[in-house]
Amino acid sequence: MVQFRMKALNQMQKPDDLDLLMKVTKPRGWVGVGVVGAALAALVLWGFTGNIPSTVSGEGVVTPANGISDIQSMISGFVTDVHIATGDTVAVGDPVATVETDSGTVTITAPFQGVIGLVFFNAGRVIGVGSDLYLLERTDVGDGELIVYVFVPAEDVSSIAPGMLVDITPENVPAHAFGVLKGEVSKVSAESVNRAANIALLGDTEFADVIESKFGEAAIIAVSLITDPSTTSGYKWSTTEGPPFKIPMGVRVSAVISQGDVHPIKLVFG
C-alpha cells in the first residue's frame, strides 16, 4: 500500500503532466447545460415580453340604470353645512349643502326627487367641480335599462378605469349553461364605504355582511350592461343566446373586471 501511494505521488510531480487538461464533462453533458441555459433565457425573455391577463373580482347587484343617480358637485368650495342624510326623501330644489365659494355662500339643491343613498361628503370638506356628493334613488323615473353596482377592494379601485370590460355572473344563472353577462365599467368612485353605508344603500343586511367579510371597506363601480336585442334578456352574453329569461332586478352577481395584460416580470417585482 505504501509503495502504491509513493508511486502516485511521484506521478503527480512529473512536470510534463502539469500541462494536461482534466476532462470534466462529456460532450453530451454540455448539450444538457446548453438546453437548460436556453430555457432560462427564454423564461427571462417571456418575463419581459409575455402577457398575463390582470383582473379584479367583485360582488354586486343589478339595479335600474335610471333608478340611481350619482350626484356630483357643479361648484368648488368649502362645505359648511350638510342638509341631507342617508334615507332622507328630497324633492327637486331641496337644499343639500351650504358651500362657501370665492363668490360667496351657495346652497346646493337636489336636481331630482328621490331617496338619498350613500352620502360621500361632510361639513368641513373642500369639494371641487365633479366631486361625488351622494347617490340618489330616483322616484321620478319608470323602468328602463339595468346597471350593475359592483363592490371591489378599496385598494384595487385606483387600477380600474371606465371602459374596462366586465364578465358578470348573476346568482342562480349557471355560467356553464348560459355563459356570462357582458358589461363595461362606466363609473368609478374612489370613496370607500363601510357596512352601515352598504346596508343603507342595498337594504340588505346579509349582502352587506358578505361585502364586509370579503373586502372590509369596499369601493363601488358602476357597470353598464352591453345590449343585444337578439337575446331574450336584451343583453349580450358570452354565449349566443344567453338564458331564456329576463334578468331580475335586485339579483346579486359576481363580477370580474379585465384590466388588460401585464408583463410577468411586473408580477414578481411589482
Side-chain angles (χ1 to χ4, degrees):
M1 178 64 70
V2 174
Q3 184 179 6
F4 175 77
R5 290 179 178 175
M6 292 299 294
K7 183 177 181 180
L9 288 172
N10 291 334
Q11 184 68 22
M12 293 177 61
Q13 293 173 354
K14 291 181 179 180
D16 294 341
D17 292 341
L18 296 179
D19 295 330
L20 296 179
L21 294 176
M22 184 166 47
K23 191 174 183 181
V24 180
T25 308
K26 294 181 178 180
R28 61 184 179 184
W30 287 111
V31 173
V33 172
V35 170
V36 172
L40 289 174
L43 182 61
V44 171
L45 180 63
W46 175 76
F48 284 96
T49 62
N51 291 306
I52 294 179
S54 177
T55 62
V56 173
S57 297
E59 302 286 334
V61 63
V62 176
T63 70
N66 57 358
I68 297 180
S69 295
D70 181 6
I71 308 301
Q72 298 179 328
S73 176
M74 301 298 291
I75 62 173
S76 298
F78 179 79
V79 179
T80 57
D81 291 290
V82 176
H83 308 301
I84 57 170
T86 298
D88 288 351
T89 299
V90 295
V92 177
D94 282 353
V96 169
T98 303
V99 181
E100 291 291 340
T101 72
D102 292 339
S103 303
T105 302
V106 176
T107 298
I108 297 177
T109 59
F112 312 110
Q113 71 179 45
V115 179
I116 302 295
L118 296 179
V119 178
F120 297 126
F121 72 117
N122 49 42
R125 175 175 171 178
V126 175
I127 60 173
V129 176
S131 294
D132 292 327
L133 298 180
Y134 58 96
L135 295 180
L136 180 70
E137 183 180 349
R138 295 177 59 177
T139 56
D140 61 343
V141 294
D143 295 334
E145 292 186 0
L146 299 177
I147 196 170
V148 181
Y149 277 100
V150 178
F151 295 84
V152 298
E155 62 268 21
D156 291 335
V157 73
S158 61
S159 63
I160 299 174
M164 288 183 174
L165 298 180
V166 186
D167 287 342
I168 302 161
T169 305
E171 196 174 52
N172 299 324
V173 179
H176 68 273
F178 303 115
V180 294
L181 190 57
K182 294 293 186 176
E184 63 178 28
V185 176
S186 58
K187 172 70 178 177
V188 179
S189 174
E191 304 288 345
S192 60
V193 291
N194 56 27
R195 178 178 179 275
N198 286 340
I199 293 175
L201 174 65
L202 301 170
D204 187 338
T205 302
E206 181 186 350
F207 191 34
D209 288 339
V210 170
I211 298 301
E212 184 183 43
S213 65
K214 284 194 172 186
F215 309 128
E217 287 199 354
I220 303 176
I221 66 171
V223 177
S224 298
L225 300 180
I226 299 174
T227 58
D228 183 351
S230 68
T231 67
T232 303
S233 67
Y235 296 101
K236 184 178 181 179
W237 296 74
S238 59
T239 57
T240 303
E241 298 180 354
F245 49 78
K246 296 284 187 179
I247 305 169
M249 187 176 64
V251 68
R252 298 182 191 178
V253 304
S254 59
V256 178
I257 300 103
S258 298
Q259 299 174 289
D261 294 338
V262 297
H263 297 317
I265 196 71
K266 290 186 177 181
L267 300 178
V268 178
F269 297 103

